[in-house]
Amino acid sequence: MSERAAFEKRVAAYVKRHGRLNPQADILVACSGGPDSVALLYWLAWWQASESSGRGRLAVAVVDHSLRPESVEEVALVQAHADHLHIPCYTMRFDAKEAAKASGQSIETVSRERRYAFLYETAHIHGYTYIATAHHRDDQAESILAHILRGSGTKGLQGMKVLDGELWRPFLGVTKKEIATYVADKQLTVAHDKTNELPMYARNRLRLEIIPMLKQINPAVTEALVRLGEAAAMDEDFLRAEVARRATKLERVVENGIQVNRQAFLKESAAVRYRLWRRWFWMIASQIPSAAHAEIVERMAHNGGDKQFSVGQVKVSVQYDIIQVERLIANHAKDAQTKLHRTVCIETVECVTGNGAALMEHCRTNTLFMVPAVMALDGVEVRTRRAGDRIYIVDATGQCRGRKKLKDWCIDRKIPRQERDTIMFLAAKDSNTVFGPATADRPVCIRSESEATYIIGAFKEVESC
């Protein structure tokens, strides 16, 4: 087996284990013209063609930040690769320096925000399910090290996920050196951004100065950082599930908030208590407490007595054996407590293959949902919102017209903040992809123009599931 073939199969095996994706999915590739993203583009073309089950659409997107004279040529290079592969190429140009000056942000920050906004917008407008980026194993190590330097908790130490909502990072299992060998073997024409070799940005300094220095102490520091991220991810997954389980036993929903027995709360470990504070602040007002604020309410819980503390829209009161977390603005929503207790389950599920328009008859009643299986590879679930959720927007026919932040979706509908955590949504499991509210108001129906496999089922409201 050639080195090129070995690389292609190694990446395919890695994503099968860590970022399972249907080869028939429509994919938009973020490409700068550099060796990493060009290699990703050609690997994806190979991967889709190698699958006997068929392939989805492939396209490329490139952003010119107007920071270097050669950026125009790099966009032309990406266009040439797209033409060679017979795929669409979407481009955007903006002046990053002027945008940074106008916003008061750094050039690095504003460039990233504008770039990702363009990628998401392009994917939504043209119906691409995933956005593929060329982050690799060395990038993962740099990301984890950056989080360490910022004092991140275990959530930040996880680094990047292979599959994170719409973002897909197939190259996280290979190094930059392996990618460079693949590019040379395929004799691909690539661009080289000279600013990547200058310590002008924080990430550049990590790559050019800090990591080489750390390698003098531990030559395998990159692998060590990646292992740290993998261990942190396992720990965080366990803690997230454990906190949710413990919370159901501790919490008592009251009007406008949550009540907890102080002694029962203090029996939990410090790690669980910290995450419970974060959970309650988010539930009550979509806030995340800072470490300093979490320390204040933790001291209140330990000291007891009769104390209270307010930050943002959240008030925490300790009255001897009772801790209460509530909104500062009273919740006058009708039946708020009942809504918080409301539980919705998925009653029945089946998979049907066909054309979306023809299958719409399955969703004539107000209790059914229908979503393409490619959007929910691990199935669907009904849950309340969580940080990072993005919801699909569909028209009356069920055709997807893009996605937006769930928070913005709630704001557009003028849903009071205190009610947003009472709404049950249909979502893809282990993902921040949300399809729609699990209510009887209207079916959750997302269809494809072409034949596809759909997950269809019904909602059932019960006291417990």
Side-chain angles (χ1 to χ4, degrees), residues 168-203:
W168 188 41
R169 304 180 180 98
F171 277 5
L172 281 185
V174 292
T175 64
K176 187 174 183 64
K177 183 178 180 181
E178 290 173 312
I179 295 170
T181 301
Y182 180 67
V183 168
D185 193 22
K186 287 184 69 69
Q187 298 183 326
L188 298 174
T189 303
V190 297
H192 292 280
D193 183 352
K194 295 179 181 179
T195 62
N196 286 333
E197 305 306 317
L198 300 174
M200 55 193 299
Y201 300 123
R203 289 299 291 264

Side-chain angles (χ1 to χ4, degrees), residues 151-153 155-156 236 240 243 273-297 309-316 325 327 385-389 407 417 421 432:
S152 171
K155 187 174 183 179
E236 189 63 24
R240 185 165 50 247
V243 167
R273 293 199 306 271
Y274 173 67
R275 285 166 174 79
L276 285 169
W277 288 123
R278 290 171 63 90
R279 169 188 170 90
W280 294 330
F281 272 62
W282 183 258
M283 284 177 62
I284 299 303
S286 301
Q287 292 178 212
I288 297 294
S290 67
H293 293 151
E295 185 177 346
I296 291 172
V297 292
F309 170 76
S310 300
V311 58
Q313 293 298 317
V314 177
K315 181 174 78 172
V316 180
V325 187
R327 280 185 59 82
R385 67 174 181 158
R386 62 188 180 208
D389 278 344
K407 178 181 177 181
R417 185 178 299 205
D421 289 305
N432 287 115

Side-chain angles (χ1 to χ4, degrees), residues 65 94 96-97 99-100 103 105-115:
H65 301 85
F94 79 102
K97 286 183 179 179
S103 67
Q105 297 174 300
S106 67
I107 292 177
E108 193 176 16
T109 298
V110 78
S111 295
R112 184 183 187 281
E113 289 184 354
R114 290 286 187 92
R115 182 169 64 252

Side-chain angles (χ1 to χ4, degrees), residues 421-459:
D421 289 305
T422 71
I423 303 173
M424 306 301 292
F425 291 95
L426 178 72
K429 286 184 179 178
D430 300 322
S431 168
N432 287 115
T433 297
V434 177
F435 301 116
T439 70
D441 297 332
R442 84 177 260 200
V444 178
C445 302
I446 301 179
R447 68 181 180 87
S448 171
E449 294 290 354
S450 58
E451 184 168 277
T453 299
Y454 291 86
I455 302 171
I456 67 171
F459 301 126

Side-chain angles (χ1 to χ4, degrees), residues 15-63:
V15 299
K16 187 175 182 179
R17 293 194 306 271
H18 299 283
R20 184 159 54 89
L21 203 70
N22 189 330
Q24 296 180 25
D26 298 327
I27 301 169
L28 180 67
V29 185
C31 186
S32 65
D36 301 339
S37 56
V38 170
L40 174 63
L41 179 60
Y42 279 83
W43 176 83
L44 277 167
W46 167 85
W47 178 70
Q48 286 190 330
S50 68
E51 293 290 334
S52 59
S53 58
R55 69 178 76 180
R57 292 181 301 142
L58 188 65
V60 64
V62 56
V63 177

Side-chain angles (χ1 to χ4, degrees), residues 85-104:
L85 294 171
H86 305 291
I87 61 175
C89 179
Y90 305 100
T91 64
M92 182 187 79
R93 185 178 188 275
F94 79 102
D95 191 322
K97 286 183 179 179
E98 287 299 318
K101 184 178 179 180
S103 67

